Amino acid sequence: MIPFNVPPCVGTELQYIKEAIESHKICGDGAFTKKCNAWLEERFGAQKVLLTTSGTTALDMAALLCELKEGDEVILPSYTFSSTATSAVLGGARLVFVDIRPDTMNIDEKKIEEAITERTRAIIAVHYAGVACEMDTIMEIARKYNLVVIEDAAQGVMSTYKGRALGTIGDFGCYSFHETKNYSMGEGGALVINNPEYNERAEILREKGTNRSKFFRGQVDKYTWVDFGDSYLPSELNAAYLWAQLCAADEINENRMASWNQYYQELKGLEESGRIELPVIPEGCVHNAHMFYIKCRDLEERTSFISYMKEEGILTVFHYIPLHSAPAGLKYGRFSGKDLYTTKESERLVRLPMYYGLEQEKIAFICEKIRNFYR
Ligand SMILES: *Cc1c(COP(=O)(O)O)cnc(C)c1O
């Protein structure tokens, strides 16, 4: 069986985890966490990055830092992972789902303005498959209506939009280092804070409501409980795993890009003959090969495609039942305007195996089977 995903491992992880154990510091905010934060800040030009226990908790932190109130509304796409929505629900907000663009599967920036009411407080832009949303337009709308922008860049680590790293464009950026993402620490994530006004509150929120981070920097002589908080610090053991991955970030990225480009070349013919559709990367966007998907004609064709591939020993998957039609989506939100593409496109999309170290011969084999299916 060719798996759909294999968690990334570059070979130096155990050595760093051993170092963490031998340093007798395995809780959060030790040397490896600090090195990861600093690496992410420097590489992406961010003023502050804090590792978290997951992409989900990074989103939770962003939503809590927005100080959403009962009755506030948050705009987001319906075609996304539940975490994008639960963060806004945690903040007490109502969800307003906006349709996606069929080319990138990202929120349709042209439909955001008509979803805004006097209760709208924030926009969550999800960079699907590591391909950027149209951020210039989104930021312009946010400034016009005084809205906070949270980038769900869980899939977008190492991608850029007009030269800027995803996650560093809105007020907050959220990364995921789950085992299914390009860079991993098992479970983990990071919050990027682009507006320094939130720095102090974020540290307190992440440190169980205390000013312990300030204490460790020698800025206060004792630490105490100062505000609402929670625990969002990952263990040093996880950070050590991530450190190994970040040290090899370019290698991982190049390896994934080579796989992505090979898929594209091998399947181009099927697109030209109108049998399938391939991903679109708009101008100005540099992606990170998080995902390679194709679009079948419809749900029925996709179902038989997935079972054909499975019989051939290849695992392909689809995801995201649109949130607005899911039980919790109905409870917490509403769809703004017409669902022209969210449901229709989500039913056609299927993801092909994609992971660091996926062999060229396997991609060739997978593509041969896809061509057979369409013959
Ligand atoms: C993976 C993912 C998340 C959640 O990240 P976790 O680290 O698994 O909590 C959120 N949003 C999107 C779009 C994701 O792909």
Side-chain angles (χ1 to χ4, degrees):
M1 242 351 179
I2 300 180
F4 167 69
N5 177 63
V6 176
C9 182
V10 294
T12 47
E13 288 84 354
L14 264 180
Q15 178 199 319
Y16 291 131
I17 291 171
K18 189 163 171 276
E19 272 178 42
I21 295 170
E22 286 170 355
S23 75
H24 303 293
K25 173 81 181 173
I26 59 170
C27 70
D29 272 350
F32 284 107
T33 302
K34 291 199 176 102
K35 284 205 274 197
C36 291
N37 290 343
W39 189 96
L40 293 163
E41 284 166 5
E42 190 172 325
R43 178 72 187 236
F44 301 144
Q47 69 91 29
K48 188 126 192 109
V49 178
L50 297 169
L51 284 196
T52 59
T53 46
S54 66
T56 304
T57 53
L59 284 159
D60 288 350
M61 280 187 73
L64 291 169
L65 290 167
C66 290
E67 297 188 309
L68 300 168
K69 294 180 307 298
E70 206 70 39
D72 284 350
E73 291 178 353
V74 171
I75 288 172
L76 73 166
S78 168
Y79 184 70
T80 183
F81 195 54
S82 59
S83 307
T84 317
T86 50
S87 66
V89 171
L90 175 73
R94 295 290 300 168
L95 308 173
V96 178
F97 298 110
V98 166
D99 207 8
I100 53 167
R101 297 163 42 146
D103 59 348
T104 58
M105 306 297 282
N106 282 333
I107 191 166
D108 188 338
E109 69 281 357
K110 294 194 193 72
K111 293 179 183 163
I112 292 176
E113 210 159 353
E114 65 200 40
I116 292 173
T117 70
E118 68 267 26
R119 303 186 143 201
T120 309
R121 286 288 317 283
I123 302 170
I124 311 181
V126 182
H127 303 299
Y128 183 71
V131 179
C133 297
E134 187 39 54
M135 290 308 291
D136 278 351
T137 310
I138 292 173
M139 294 311 291
E140 214 171 281
I141 294 169
R143 272 190 290 270
K144 184 169 161 193
Y145 294 93
N146 196 24
L147 308 175
V148 182
V149 174
I150 299 170
E151 294 178 72
D152 181 341
Q155 303 176 4
V157 180
M158 293 281 276
S159 296
T160 59
Y161 170 80
K162 299 187 181 173
R164 298 169 70 188
L166 298 193
T168 67
I169 303 164
D171 295 271
F172 300 103
C174 304
Y175 296 144
S176 168
F177 301 117
H178 185 261
E179 72 163 33
T180 53
K181 300 305 199 292
N182 292 25
Y183 308 93
S184 187
M185 54 196 282
E187 297 276 359
L191 176 69
V192 185
I193 305 166
N194 300 315
N195 179 347
E197 277 170 34
Y198 292 105
N199 287 0
E200 190 175 337
R201 181 70 190 99
E203 284 182 347
I204 292 167
L205 179 61
R206 184 168 166 272
E207 273 278 21
K208 302 96 183 164
T210 71
N211 57 357
R212 191 154 77 165
S213 297
K214 245 181 154 172
F215 172 70
F216 282 138
R217 283 197 298 266
Q219 292 164 333
V220 288
D221 57 10
K222 60 180 187 318
Y223 83 83
T224 183
W225 181 32
V226 292
D227 207 335
F228 170 78
D230 210 326
S231 180
Y232 297 121
L233 274 66
S235 149
E236 274 289 284
L237 301 176
N238 297 70
Y241 193 101
L242 181 65
W243 179 245
Q245 308 257 307
L246 296 182
C247 289
D250 290 306
E251 183 196 321
I252 293 174
N253 196 47
E254 282 157 26
N255 180 275
R256 296 185 74 110
M257 284 305 294
S259 296
W260 198 97
N261 290 329
Q262 189 187 342
Y263 269 129
Y264 198 92
Q265 287 307 318
E266 298 232 21
L267 298 174
K268 220 168 55 182
L270 279 180
E271 180 172 60
E272 282 158 8
S273 60
R275 308 306 300 272
I276 62 171
E277 280 172 40
L278 295 179
V280 173
I281 314 296
E283 220 182 290
C285 299
V286 176
H287 72 109
N288 60 356
H290 174 62
M291 193 188 292
F292 197 94
Y293 63 79
I294 66 169
K295 283 186 187 166
C296 302
R297 190 185 56 229
D298 52 24
L299 180 59
E300 195 189 338
E301 186 183 279
R302 183 180 73 178
T303 306
S304 53
F305 176 88
I306 291 173
S307 60
Y308 171 82
M309 295 298 275
K310 199 167 168 198
E311 274 165 36
E312 297 292 343
I314 302 158
L315 284 176
T316 61
V317 304
F318 65 87
H319 64 170
Y320 304 156
I321 305 293
L323 297 183
H324 73 281
S325 52
L330 294 168
K331 181 172 163 192
Y332 293 116
R334 63 178 168 85
F335 199 91
S336 163
K338 273 211 196 75
D339 170 11
L340 289 181
Y341 297 110
T342 299
T343 301
K344 184 168 146 245
E345 298 301 302
S346 73
E347 289 177 347
R348 303 170 56 208
L349 186 143
V350 55
R351 302 171 63 180
L352 306 181
M354 172 60 89
Y355 49 87
Y356 171 64
L358 174 59
E359 297 88 343
Q360 281 181 24
E361 312 80 75
K362 285 199 178 136
I363 297 174
F365 174 77
I366 294 163
C367 294
E368 186 192 309
K369 295 301 171 193
I370 296 175
R371 287 190 295 268
N372 281 348
F373 175 81
Y374 280 102
R375 197 160 285 146

